[in-house]
Amino acid sequence: MFSSHGPSVRELAVQGLSSVERGYDLLAPKFDHTPFRTPDRMLDAVEETLAQHEGTFGAGLDVCCGTGAGIGMLRRLCRDRVTGVDLSAGMLAGAGRTHAGDGRVDFVRADARALPPELAGSYDLAVSFGAFGHFLPSERPALFSGVRSALREGGVFAFPIGAPIPPSSPVWWAVTGFDAAMRVRNAVWRPPFVMYYRTFPLSGVRADLKAAGFTVETVPLEHFGRQAGGAPRWRLVLARRL
């Protein structure tokens, strides 16, 4: 799974026994050499779909930006300011190095569940990749409300979401086992490390987005094909601020 430049099993164990913030601070120097980084294929698919469906935007916000994998995509889609927000200072340091000297890009250290007031009403597009497993279902209303507050009226919050995995798939057993192991870990060890794969179903997400003040539509990401029954393997959620 990991390149020779990625973290060792021991390093992953130390990170997994830390808090989310501390774990990512430790992982940051090697994060881009792990499968946890959003693949370029996904970034390209989202960028192409947004460009075709929405066109260009003014200012862009990457929520839980990590080491900045999505910043380049936002720079191409947005005409104005691009901001990355993340809780981990280590991840932001990596993102800052990657985009050093780019006057259109800035980074803010903040909890996505409580975005700083100075970001309010500043953005036309917000995106997020691979971070939602770090938020419990009870935390989604605060997360979505914060993103809504950062958007201007009519602004779009976009993110990919995968189709449900059938229990017949080995992947279903793998992610179910991982989630169960994390629940046991968090029950017996402090600080908790919140990371679950099966806590972000489209039905619940759609309901929480609507309750936060968004209209919601989904667009198939045809780049990833369709399941045997015809449903897309991946969709792009487009939540528009009312």
Side-chain angles (χ1 to χ4, degrees):
M1 286 180 66
F2 300 95
S3 76
S4 59
H5 301 290
S8 66
V9 173
R10 180 181 181 280
E11 287 173 321
L12 285 173
V14 172
Q15 291 150 13
L17 293 174
S18 306
S19 67
V20 174
E21 179 182 350
R22 177 60 177 158
Y24 276 105
D25 284 347
L26 293 170
L27 182 60
K30 299 182 178 181
F31 181 79
D32 288 345
H33 300 288
T34 73
F36 305 133
R37 180 193 183 274
T38 303
D40 289 337
R41 183 186 178 201
M42 177 61 76
L43 295 170
D44 292 343
V46 170
E47 179 179 350
E48 182 179 331
T49 303
L50 277 171
Q52 292 176 348
H53 197 272
E54 299 286 334
T56 59
F57 300 84
L61 177 67
D62 189 346
V63 181
C64 304
C65 67
T67 53
I71 296 296
M73 179 200 77
L74 282 178
R75 287 189 75 261
R76 292 185 292 271
L77 285 170
C78 299
R79 301 179 298 275
D80 304 322
R81 169 192 183 191
V82 170
T83 300
V85 172
D86 203 277
L87 181 63
S88 166
M91 300 289 270
L92 288 176
R97 287 190 294 269
T98 300
H99 298 280
D102 191 331
R104 280 211 295 136
V105 176
D106 64 287
F107 295 98
V108 176
R109 182 169 178 262
D111 189 327
R113 295 164 297 187
L115 293 177
E118 57 266 29
L119 300 185
S122 300
Y123 300 94
D124 304 284
L125 171 65
V127 298
S128 192
F129 296 95
F132 295 128
H134 295 302
F135 300 97
L136 298 172
S138 61
E139 297 173 320
R140 285 201 303 257
L143 173 67
F144 293 161
S145 293
V147 174
R148 182 186 181 279
S149 71
L151 290 169
R152 299 185 177 108
E153 185 176 349
V156 174
F157 180 27
F159 53 87
I161 191 167
I165 303 169
S168 58
S169 168
V171 176
W172 186 92
W173 292 97
V175 298
T176 300
F178 178 89
D179 283 6
M182 290 304 295
R183 291 187 186 282
V184 172
R185 178 256 186 245
N186 290 332
V188 301
W189 190 268
R190 292 291 184 271
F193 190 99
V194 176
M195 177 63 220
Y196 301 110
Y197 283 104
R198 301 183 64 245
T199 57
F200 203 74
L202 179 57
S203 58
V205 168
R206 188 192 298 270
D208 287 342
L209 284 167
K210 289 182 176 179
F214 290 94
T215 61
V216 183
E217 64 175 308
T218 64
V219 180
L221 289 172
E222 299 291 2
H223 311 67
F224 300 98
R226 291 178 176 263
Q227 298 175 308
R233 297 185 187 278
W234 283 89
R235 303 172 188 265
L236 183 64
V237 175
L238 300 174
R240 194 176 305 275
R241 175 179 172 165
L242 295 171

